[in-house]
Amino acid sequence: MAQRSFLTEVKDAVTPRATLLVVGVIALQLLFIASYVGALHDPRPKDVPFGVVAPKAAAEQAVARLDKLHGSPFDPRVVADEATARAQILNRDIDGALIVHPARTADTLLVASGGGTVLANTLQQYLALLEASQQRTVRTVDVAPASSQDFDGLSSFYVVVGWCVGGYLCASILAISTGARPANLRRAVIRLVVMALVSIVGGLGGAVIVGPILGALPGSVPALWGLGALITFAVGAATLALQGIFGIVGIGLAILLVVIAGNPSAGGAFPLPMLPPFWKAIGPALPPGAGTWVARSIAYFDGNDTTDALLVLSAWAAAGIAITLAAAVLREKRAGPAAP
């Protein structure tokens, strides 16, 4: 009798819905492992935008040598002069440049560790070996150095991850507090307004922590505040939208997009040119990648080249608002006038 009672309890607990949710958790777990290990287990530079400054003949030879390197680590192009090369690095058009001095035995390598210390070090290693093969040496100049308090240039990535986590956690709490789906349009609007207020507070808190309190990131605190608010709201609104369509499964989909796909492809631990093609392609289109790019631009590149990334974040926010409200309206229509 006790055995039969226990089996009955197990049967009651393991419902089809619970089974599907457990299977979903296992799938997310395996996708997490595959995504992070796949993206980060073997970082190698691939088609890094790279400038060469030299007289015509020497420039052509240098570009040819860089093009022939195994694995195509560089995407070299001739740049008019050193000032132009520096400007293109600060505008984030290229990630480094080699200044060839034909009359000397030493050349100059320009890098920007603010865009990723790992990439800057990798460029230095490649160029040191390449120059040594020509019986030459290279002197490295960092035109946009990372802060001494920003180890490996990771602070911009971690603050963005924090803003993203705040976004989907807050949205999840708002949605499941009174049911996984928005009951009506009024409740959906309230959730979006609360999400906006939380985003403003969270954005300010993150900017103050990484700036004045810890000194991890230089740059404008108001600019980082605005970025943090936009990231938090974009992720939160997208999470509300997914929950409005798919119910509690939407939380899992938000984690899939932001954490499993977004974090390893964000260019945080390893900048985009060092990621495999798939992650390199999806990173700029997801909130962690777009946010990390803008945060580094604010901190180290005078806010240059942020338009595309800000448009990506704005699109996530706008789509989240529209889908959240549309899902609420459609559900209200389905429920009919008698809905509570």
Side-chain angles (χ1 to χ4, degrees):
M1 194 68 182
Q3 182 180 6
R4 187 175 301 174
S5 176
F6 174 74
L7 292 175
T8 302
E9 289 181 7
V10 171
K11 184 179 178 181
D12 291 340
V14 184
T15 63
R17 184 169 183 267
T19 302
L20 287 175
L21 290 174
V22 170
V23 171
V25 169
I26 294 173
L28 286 176
Q29 178 188 50
L30 298 180
L31 286 171
F32 184 98
I33 295 170
S35 184
Y36 277 73
V37 176
L40 308 176
H41 78 288
D42 187 22
R44 296 184 183 184
K46 178 71 173 178
D47 295 329
V48 179
F50 192 79
V52 175
V53 177
K56 184 176 180 181
E60 291 175 353
Q61 292 175 2
V63 168
R65 286 197 301 271
L66 292 169
D67 261 332
K68 291 178 182 178
L69 290 176
H70 177 70
S72 184
F74 294 96
D75 177 17
R77 72 283 308 268
V78 177
V79 179
D81 50 42
E82 182 174 346
T84 303
R86 287 174 175 267
Q88 289 189 8
I89 292 173
L90 291 176
N91 287 332
R92 310 201 74 178
D93 297 324
I94 58 177
D95 291 308
L98 178 65
I99 315 300
V100 179
H101 307 291
R104 312 177 204 166
T105 59
D107 298 324
T108 303
L109 170 65
L110 304 181
V111 297
S113 61
T117 304
V118 174
L119 179 59
N121 292 339
T122 301
L123 294 180
Q124 187 174 354
Q125 294 168 7
Y126 268 85
L127 268 296
L129 292 173
L130 185 63
E131 291 285 279
S133 69
Q134 305 295 316
Q135 287 76 52
R136 300 178 67 83
T137 59
V138 64
R139 179 178 67 94
T140 302
V141 176
D142 197 340
V143 300
S147 166
S148 60
Q149 303 299 314
D150 183 11
F151 177 75
D152 274 357
L154 291 174
S155 297
S156 52
F157 170 60
Y158 287 135
V159 69
V160 168
V161 169
W163 283 325
C164 289
V165 169
Y168 69 73
L169 283 183
C170 179
S172 300
I173 291 170
L174 288 172
I176 66 176
S177 61
T178 52
R181 295 175 185 269
N184 51 46
L185 181 60
R186 177 174 172 271
R187 183 173 294 161
V189 171
I190 291 173
R191 289 175 180 175
L192 288 169
V193 171
V194 172
M195 193 69 247
L197 295 174
V198 169
S199 300
I200 293 171
V201 176
L204 175 59
V208 171
I209 289 172
V210 299
I213 294 178
L214 297 179
L217 283 183
S220 167
V221 171
L224 287 172
W225 177 11
L227 173 64
L230 178 58
I231 292 171
T232 305
F233 184 78
V235 172
T239 304
L240 287 175
L242 290 169
Q243 290 169 331
I245 298 173
F246 301 105
I248 195 170
V249 175
I251 298 175
L253 294 176
I255 293 173
L256 174 64
L257 287 172
V258 177
V259 179
I260 295 176
N263 286 354
S265 65
F270 300 110
L272 290 177
M274 301 190 70
L275 295 178
F278 173 75
W279 287 268
K280 181 179 179 179
I282 67 171
L286 297 173
T292 299
W293 181 272
V294 177
R296 282 179 171 160
S297 290
I298 292 171
Y300 300 115
F301 298 94
D302 299 324
N304 293 326
D305 195 21
T306 58
T307 301
D308 290 346
L310 289 174
L311 287 174
V312 167
L313 293 170
S314 299
W316 278 88
I321 293 171
I323 295 173
T324 299
L325 296 179
V329 170
L330 290 175
R331 188 167 186 270
E332 213 169 27
K333 287 182 178 179
R334 291 195 193 102

